[in-house]
Structures are given as structure tokens and as C-alpha cells.
Amino acid sequence: MKTVVFTYVRHGRTEFNRDHVIQGGRADSPLDPEGIPAIRATAATISGVPFASCYASPLTRVLRTATILTEGRDLPVQALDDLREFDFGDIDGHPYDGRRLTFAHCFVHQDFSPVHGETGAQVRSRVRSAFSAMYDASVDGDQVLVVGHGAFLRYVLLEFGAGNRLARKIKSETMRARNASMSTVIGTDGHFRLVQLPTAPRSNPFSVGPGNGDRYPCQVL
């Protein structure tokens, strides 16, 4: 039996998160300096975990977050394209205002192909591919740090969460994945389970309140 534990951390708050701009797989923006303490709080929380490897989405906001999380460790950050965020198509990189109905419609239907983006099925396929690749590259007992995105994590829940299909769908649409929050996935003999939903350290200044997901759905992506 081979068991691997994955600690999944969402990237830190970005300028687009702050400014309410839709930010998926096509769009990227620098980390907001005011969000850096939240990343460092997460780094402190996981400081005692002996990670064997670290994987991250190739988008800059994630690679920068991963660099902060692995400071002081001999732990190279490996970019994995399948961890890239959901492609929100033509509305990616545009202000959320004026596009709320379009975004909400695609979000609920798990399908951004009407705006030339990805479908939920495509993202779920990438979820399976990414975790299988990381699992196959690990040995029994490994702890793996994974740094990624919020919308992607919703599809980790859809794929590996507990409950029936409807329960997973409802939870995926309502859970809050704060910036720099942590989740846990366990892989055993090639089967994966999401065993911990996103949690944030108490010292995370963006763990509660508006401006980080309470008003705009795109802020939890």
C-alpha cells in the first residue's frame, strides 16, 4: 500500500483579487503586498511538515506564492501545467462588474465554453492527471506541497470529495477558498480523497471580511 499526503495551498491575494478582476487560467497579476503576511502565516503553519516535493501551477502568482512558502527549505518548486487555473475564456482578465451574470451562469453550469473557455469536465480531467502524476512521482509516506488556485480546488472537491454528486456540487459552489488557505488530499494506491476543506491560519488578515470573496464570486478563484 502506498499513501501520499498532499497539502494544497491556494495562492496569495493578488492585485486582480483586490481590484475585483476575473482571474483564471488566461489572466495573471502580481501578488498584493498586503497579502504577503497571509502567505507567511501559512508558511509558519506548515513549517514542521517534511515535504518531499513541491508542485505549483505555472502562473506567476502561484510560483511567487510557492517561493515564499518554501523559503529556507531545500525544496525546488516544480511547475505542473495541469495545475493551471480554470480558463474563463473571453471574460478572463476583465473587471467582474458588468460581467456578473455571464460569470455566474457559466460558474453554476460548470462550463465556460460559451465564452471560449474550458468546461468543468476538462478541468476535472486535469485534476485527475495532476494528482496522478504527483502521486506516481512520490514514494510511500511522502508529504507533497501543492500550490494552486481556488476554482481548480473546487474541481478537486468535485472529483475527490465525500458525498454523492449533488452534495459535492453544492459544496463546491458554496465553499470559501481563502487566499493562502490550506486543504488536504490523501492518495492511497492511486485513489484520492479530499479530507480537509480550505482552512486559514488565525493570523491570516484576509481570513474573514469583505474584499476577499464575500462580495464577488471571482474573489474565491
Side-chain angles (χ1 to χ4, degrees):
M1 179 179 292
K2 172 179 165 181
T3 298
V4 178
V5 178
F6 302 90
T7 298
Y8 186 103
V9 179
R10 185 195 172 201
H11 64 78
R13 192 171 82 150
T14 67
E15 293 178 359
F16 278 4
N17 291 146
R18 179 195 65 204
D19 298 337
H20 312 308
V21 174
I22 297 170
Q23 185 175 230
R26 296 188 190 185
D28 208 359
S29 69
L31 295 178
D32 177 3
E34 293 187 4
I36 300 297
I39 303 173
R40 296 201 182 282
T42 297
T45 299
I46 61 176
S47 62
V49 181
F51 292 113
S53 56
C54 174
Y55 295 89
S57 158
L59 295 178
T60 302
R61 60 190 183 269
V62 178
L63 293 174
R64 175 59 180 146
T65 299
T67 297
I68 296 171
L69 291 172
T70 57
E71 284 178 355
R73 296 178 183 257
D74 183 17
L75 190 64
V77 177
Q78 304 175 64
L80 184 59
D81 195 62
D82 276 336
L83 291 171
R84 182 181 294 269
E85 181 61 297
F86 203 130
D87 181 346
F88 297 138
D90 298 338
I91 61 175
D92 219 343
H94 293 278
Y96 185 65
D97 283 345
R99 297 167 180 85
R100 297 185 190 184
L101 292 179
T102 299
F103 186 93
H105 176 83
C106 294
F107 180 82
V108 170
H109 288 85
Q110 302 177 3
D111 183 6
F112 281 80
S113 64
V115 289
H116 308 108
E118 280 186 297
T119 66
Q122 288 174 310
V123 179
R124 290 180 71 165
S125 177
R126 290 200 285 111
V127 167
R128 294 191 299 270
S129 176
F131 277 88
S132 293
M134 294 185 292
Y135 180 86
D136 289 344
S138 304
V139 300
D140 183 40
D142 273 358
Q143 298 260 3
V144 177
L145 177 60
V146 184
V147 190
H149 303 272
F152 187 90
L153 179 59
R154 296 178 186 280
Y155 287 82
V156 172
L157 190 158
L158 284 168
E159 196 65 23
F160 304 144
N164 59 34
R165 181 177 178 178
L166 178 59
R168 295 197 306 273
K169 184 177 187 298
I170 293 172
K171 177 61 71 174
S172 75
E173 293 173 357
T174 57
M175 79 171 183
R176 292 180 177 176
R178 304 291 188 180
N179 293 108
S181 61
M182 301 166 289
S183 306
T184 305
V185 173
I186 296 178
T188 302
D189 290 343
H191 299 283
F192 302 94
R193 294 176 294 125
L194 177 64
V195 298
Q196 178 185 303
L197 294 176
T199 59
R202 289 182 181 274
S203 56
N204 183 343
F206 299 109
S207 62
V208 295
N212 190 44
D214 289 351
R215 293 175 57 208
Y216 297 88
C218 62
Q219 290 304 100
V220 294
L221 304 173

